[in-house]
Amino acid sequence: MNSVFITGGTSGIGLELAKKYLAQGWKVGVCGRDQSKFDENFTRDYQNLYYYPLDVADREALKKAVHEFSKPTGLSLIIASAGISYPQKTKIPDFERTYKMVHVNLLGVMYAFEAAMEIMIPQGSGHLVAISSLAGYNGFPGISGYSATKSAVMKFCESLSLDLANMQIDVTCVCPGFVDTPLTQVNHHPMPFLVKVDKAAHIIVKGINKKKRVINFPFIFSCLVKILALMPRWMFQKVMSQDSFNYSRKEHK
Ligand SMILES: NC(=O)c1ccc[n+]([C@@H]2O[C@H](COP(=O)([O-])OP(=O)(O)OC[C@H]3O[C@@H](n4cnc5c(N)ncnc54)[C@H](OP(=O)(O)O)[C@@H]3O)[C@@H](O)[C@H]2O)c1
């Protein structure tokens, strides 16, 4: 039986992915800290659904849950979707929040992959997926901590996809632009090319099925972000200093 463990599967992108895999008859494990989100969002009684209340920054708890979920079926796929960001953009980083993002957005992905690899390497198959962000392609103003964690996740996946290629383990890094979820519904700044969460999950599942190494979307926004990434850094600095490109300026002069 196909099985997928989704961190942060109780809301937003993770929730939508969980529903898609449940609809396809997969065994699905989800985790999150707040049980009420699970109760509220999974109203149907799914036989193949397992919930683990935990914080992904707790390495041992996550490892225990992934191992427990994988017995006796093994683990086909893990999607590390749990992540946090903050609506306030600041020029001076809020370091407490930055460290929290490192724990959840970066270490949370590493802990998830570590646990999954302990199962997938001996079983000789598996697929590791992390939800990064288009924000990881450049150091964007006002979100230094978020950009840094997402950029690190991209590079972590890139290295692993090379290292695990001969072990029959695929690695996919998903880089969405803005997706309409509780995470972004609190943002005050414009969110160009906003994608509906159902469409986002559809694109992600399709890319995972194709075993793509990187899934960037939406197309036009990802092209713009990649052009910014290719620019000499002095040019990037000039572009991002323009008022129209630098949304953090409007909130924090
Ligand atoms: N929405 C976007 O525009 C967008 C764009 C690019 C990338 N992303 C990335 O996509 C991923 C999912 O975001 P989303 O928009 O779906 O957010 P969301 O709706 O806020 O969902 C986040 C999920 O992660 C869980 N979570 C958060 N912190 C956790 C922790 N410490 N331990 C365990 N679970 C935790 C939440 O449950 P609990 O609160 O109950 O723990 C929830 O299930 C994130 O990594 C985000 O950075 C989102």
Side-chain angles (χ1 to χ4, degrees):
M1 179 184 229
N2 284 324
S3 59
V4 56
F5 191 97
I6 305 173
T7 72
T10 59
S11 166
I13 297 171
L15 168 68
E16 217 50 39
L17 289 169
K19 287 182 173 170
K20 288 216 181 301
Y21 283 106
L22 282 166
Q24 292 175 27
W26 285 47
K27 177 184 167 195
V28 175
V30 295
C31 73
R33 295 157 304 173
D34 179 356
Q35 169 122 28
S36 71
K37 283 188 189 171
F38 174 75
D39 295 339
E40 188 184 326
N41 291 320
F42 286 101
T43 43
R44 256 188 60 189
D45 204 14
Y46 293 103
Q47 245 188 344
N48 292 339
L49 175 64
Y50 299 81
Y51 170 66
Y52 300 88
L54 60 85
D55 188 330
V56 292
D58 182 341
R59 180 180 169 201
E60 287 311 315
L62 183 53
K63 186 180 280 204
K64 194 165 163 249
V66 173
H67 278 266
E68 199 179 299
F69 171 74
S70 305
K71 277 183 203 148
T73 48
L75 184 64
S76 321
L77 173 65
I78 191 157
I79 305 177
S81 182
I84 51 172
S85 72
Y86 297 96
Q88 298 83 7
K89 314 300 174 211
T90 57
K91 286 180 188 297
I92 298 167
D94 179 327
F95 280 101
E96 282 308 316
R97 288 179 166 185
T98 300
Y99 302 142
K100 185 80 192 141
M101 284 190 283
V102 171
H103 286 139
V104 177
N105 299 1
L106 177 56
L107 290 178
V109 172
M110 291 178 166
Y111 296 155
F113 280 16
E114 180 190 17
M117 282 164 67
E118 287 173 356
I119 296 153
M120 290 174 180
I121 291 174
Q123 85 186 2
S125 66
H127 196 155
L128 308 169
V129 177
I131 312 291
S132 174
S133 167
L134 289 181
Y137 275 95
N138 295 281
F140 286 106
I143 53 165
S144 51
Y146 187 74
S147 276
T149 58
K150 294 302 181 181
S151 182
V153 167
M154 286 168 76
K155 296 302 158 197
F156 182 58
C157 289
E158 196 167 84
S159 291
L160 278 184
S161 70
L162 296 168
D163 293 334
L164 304 181
N166 295 333
M167 298 180 205
Q168 285 70 52
I169 295 173
D170 299 292
V171 184
T172 298
C173 183
V174 181
C175 300
F178 292 111
V179 181
D180 188 8
T181 68
L183 185 108
T184 49
Q185 280 153 11
V186 290
N187 284 344
H188 308 299
H189 56 76
M191 292 188 280
F193 306 101
L194 185 70
V195 178
K196 286 203 163 69
V197 70
D198 177 56
K199 187 171 177 199
H202 175 77
I203 293 167
I204 294 169
V205 171
K206 211 168 129 192
I208 291 174
N209 289 342
K210 286 185 180 167
K211 298 190 188 298
K212 288 179 81 168
R213 288 198 175 78
V214 184
I215 303 170
N216 297 306
F217 67 93
F219 180 70
I220 295 177
F221 198 29
S222 66
C223 291
L224 294 174
V225 167
K226 281 191 259 182
I227 290 168
L228 288 173
L230 289 171
M231 281 179 181
R233 292 296 88 183
W234 64 264
M235 199 185 286
F236 173 75
Q237 187 89 19
K238 279 217 156 154
V239 172
M240 293 313 294
S241 304
Q242 303 302 307
D243 250 8
S244 49
F245 286 96
N246 186 346
Y247 60 78
S248 71
R249 280 186 171 216
K250 297 185 182 79
E251 294 184 46
H252 298 274
K253 298 271 179 203

